[in-house]
């Protein structure tokens, strides 16, 4: 069973990595997509908003599908669809807006199913391992994002057509993910009676604090991804070249924080790690808001990466602990708030920046991240099962299933 779990962990980590590459290749080439299809500035926000909305639909649909189909099978077939949809985005030409809409629609729906099923399997493996490993999967996603952004930069630098940039990546990742999917590991399904009872209205009431944390975390993340370059250039007076650096710094520190985060969870417990992450992230936003120049602003974005990186993986893990007999349903519902935060974050900061100031706008996600401290108890293990609300090294993160070493 040890070898089965190790192969399952490695194959799932590669799935996270591949998704990081694909998503970064899309979001970092949005200007090129707009130019290729001739999408107007007025229409572009509609396309960008449609993707997370459809991803939310895909996540809701996944909750229903996993009642009949194992998450590993959903992941196995949703990942190739995401990659093919990415290739479809790059394959069209000027004026083929309908084709772009179809490709982005398929991408959004498939991403919702992919994100939900990936995290279902991650929580399941964490339960089987008996210790925190969830952050390592999201570290693989961050690594994929760095590679995808680097490939996107190379494509833009060499003025490559989108399909030329995307085709080699899809040609490599699609068969690799299909082969790797052979070793995905599902947890055992919960008894029907407990499962059905855990899907009632009480689940969402208990899940709500985690939903809010997920939303706040993605508001912070989307603030960095959408506004860091503009903030450094327009507010802090950096050069255009230097303005591209904060997001790369953010991604690298996210990778570092997630690579080390599981050790912190095993040693100090998830609640303590979440509290520390929220404080560091809030400090990062504060530094960005008061920064006198570009280099101090870069320090703030570095702190943001180290702080925000732990919140999302631990929120999924906490949902698995709260609902061990219905973790798939809980994770699918929780995953929707990933997209809610993404939809709110960018326009919120933009509207506040235009109406007030961009320095002031940075204080809003800071306050929202600090609110996470009030929900930190939701990340602790159940006291009646583990004692004292602290995770023990071998029973840190309980998810779905009952496989053991």
């Amino acid at each position: 069973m040890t070898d089965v779990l190790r192969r399952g962990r490695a194959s799932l980590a590669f799935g996270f990595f591949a998704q990081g590459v694909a998503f970064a290749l899309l979001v970092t080439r949005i200007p090129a997509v707009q130019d290729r299809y001739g999408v107007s500035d007025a229409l572009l926000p509609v396309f960008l908003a449609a993707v997370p909305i459809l991803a939310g639909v895909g996540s809701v649909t996944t909750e229903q599908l996993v009642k009949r189909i194992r998450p590993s099978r959903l992941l196995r077939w949703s990942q190739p669809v995401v990659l093919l949809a990415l290739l479809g985005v790059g394959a069209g030409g000027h004026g083929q807006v309908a084709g772009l809409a179809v490709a982005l629609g398929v991408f959004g729906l498939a991403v919702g199913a992919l994100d939900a099923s990936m995290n279902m399997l991650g929580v399941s493996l964490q339960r089987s391992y008996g210790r925190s490993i969830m952050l390592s999967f999201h570290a693989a996603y961050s690594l994929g994002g760095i590679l995808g952004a680097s490939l996107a930069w190379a494509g833009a630098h060499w003025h490559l057509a989108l399909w030329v940039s995307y085709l080699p990546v899809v040609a490599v990742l699609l068969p690799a993910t299909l082969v790797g999917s052979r070793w995905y590991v599902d947890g055992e399904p919960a008894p029907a009676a407990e499962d059905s009872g855990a899907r009632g209205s009480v689940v969402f009431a208990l899940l709500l604090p985690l939903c809010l944390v997920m939303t706040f975390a993605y508001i912070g993340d989307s603030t960095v991804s959408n506004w860091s370059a503009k903030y450094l250039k327009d507010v802090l007076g950096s050069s255009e070249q230097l303005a591209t650096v904060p997001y790369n710094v953010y991604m690298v520190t996210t990778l570092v924080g997630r690579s080390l985060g599981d050790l912190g969870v095993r040693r100090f417990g998830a609640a303590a790690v979440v509290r520390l992450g929220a404080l560091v992230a809030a400090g990062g936003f504060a530094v960005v808001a008061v920064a006198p120049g570009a280099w101090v602003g870069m320090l703030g974005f570095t702190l943001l990466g180290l702080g925000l990186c732990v919140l999302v993986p631990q929120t999924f893990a906490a949902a698995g602990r709260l609902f061990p007999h219905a973790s798939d349903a809980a994770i699918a519902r929780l995953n929707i708030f990933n997209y809610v935060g993404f939809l709110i974050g960018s326009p919120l900061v933009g509207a506040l920046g235009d109406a007030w100031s961009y320095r002031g706008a940075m204080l809003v996600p800071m306050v929202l991240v600090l609110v996470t401290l009030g929900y930190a108890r939701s990340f602790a293990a159940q006291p009646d099962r583990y004692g004292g609300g602290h995770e023990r090294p071998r029973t840190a993160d309980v998810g779905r299933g009952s496989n053991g070493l």
Side-chain angles (χ1 to χ4, degrees):
M1 195 58 192
T2 299
D3 291 338
V4 170
L5 290 176
R6 286 174 178 169
R7 286 195 296 267
R9 182 180 180 181
S11 61
L12 183 58
F14 183 76
F16 271 85
F17 169 81
Q19 172 60 357
V21 174
F23 192 76
L25 278 171
L26 177 64
V27 298
T28 56
R29 298 303 308 273
I30 291 298
V33 172
Q34 183 181 14
D35 292 342
R36 182 175 181 84
Y37 286 89
V39 179
S40 67
D41 289 340
L43 189 58
L44 182 62
V46 177
F47 280 95
L48 297 181
V51 173
I53 290 172
L54 289 172
V57 173
S59 188
V60 171
T61 304
T62 300
E63 178 187 348
Q64 303 305 315
L65 290 175
V66 293
K67 297 175 184 178
R68 300 175 179 84
I69 304 172
R70 284 185 174 270
S72 62
R73 186 161 296 181
L74 289 175
L75 176 56
R76 178 177 296 124
W77 296 113
S78 60
Q79 192 142 47
V81 174
V82 168
L83 293 169
L84 291 172
L86 175 68
L87 186 59
V89 169
H94 192 81
Q96 297 177 348
V97 177
L100 175 63
V102 171
L104 287 176
V106 173
F107 186 91
L109 288 169
V111 158
L114 177 61
D115 286 346
S117 56
M118 276 199 313
N119 284 289
M120 288 173 188
L121 288 184
V123 169
S124 174
L125 270 174
Q126 207 168 236
R127 168 66 177 88
S128 299
Y129 262 77
R131 65 179 186 270
S132 178
I133 60 171
M134 195 67 182
L135 279 155
S136 67
F137 295 127
H138 286 259
Y141 180 92
S142 297
L143 180 61
I146 293 170
L147 177 59
S150 300
L151 293 173
W153 177 89
H157 179 75
W158 295 104
H159 304 289
L160 300 177
L162 283 173
W163 72 268
V164 176
S165 297
Y166 291 167
L167 181 59
V169 175
V170 173
V172 171
L173 291 182
L174 195 152
T177 53
L178 282 175
V179 171
S181 69
R182 296 171 55 195
W183 294 288
Y184 290 156
V185 177
D186 285 290
E188 295 179 4
E194 294 180 57
D195 193 306
S196 60
R199 293 182 192 273
S201 59
V202 67
V203 170
F204 186 75
L206 293 174
L207 191 64
L208 183 58
L210 298 179
C211 294
L212 293 174
V213 172
M214 182 71 78
T215 302
F216 299 157
Y218 270 98
I219 287 174
D221 181 83
S222 65
T223 298
V224 177
S225 59
N226 289 290
W227 293 103
S228 59
K230 180 178 176 61
Y231 188 87
L232 219 70
K233 184 174 182 296
D234 295 351
V235 178
L236 300 184
S238 77
S239 66
E240 186 170 350
Q241 183 176 2
L242 185 61
T244 65
V245 176
Y247 185 67
N248 288 331
V249 170
Y250 172 77
M251 289 298 293
V252 170
T253 53
T254 295
L255 173 62
V256 172
R258 287 173 171 174
S259 298
L260 300 175
D262 282 320
L263 296 176
V265 174
R266 296 170 197 167
R267 181 71 181 270
F268 303 107
V273 169
V274 167
R275 288 190 183 99
L276 179 61
L279 288 172
V280 172
F285 275 118
V287 170
V288 169
V290 302
W295 290 104
V296 177
M298 297 268 278
L299 172 62
F301 287 113
T302 300
L303 293 173
L304 280 172
L306 291 173
L308 288 176
C309 70
V310 301
L311 298 183
V312 172
Q314 285 308 305
T315 305
F316 281 120
R321 286 194 298 273
L322 281 173
F323 310 107
H325 301 295
S327 64
D328 287 348
I331 289 167
R333 296 179 192 183
L334 181 62
N335 188 55
I336 297 169
F337 290 85
N338 160 352
Y339 312 118
V340 171
F342 189 84
L343 278 171
I344 293 174
S346 181
L348 174 66
V349 171
L352 289 172
D354 292 338
W356 180 24
S357 74
Y358 281 98
R359 288 186 183 272
M362 291 294 163
L363 298 177
V364 174
M366 180 195 77
V367 171
L368 293 177
V369 169
L370 283 174
V371 172
T372 299
L373 295 173
Y375 299 119
R377 68 181 64 182
S378 299
F379 292 82
Q382 299 175 26
D384 61 342
R385 182 174 298 182
Y386 302 111
H390 297 287
E391 295 80 353
R392 294 178 180 175
R394 296 297 299 169
T395 55
D397 296 284
V398 177
R400 72 185 290 276
S402 57
N403 289 332
L405 290 174

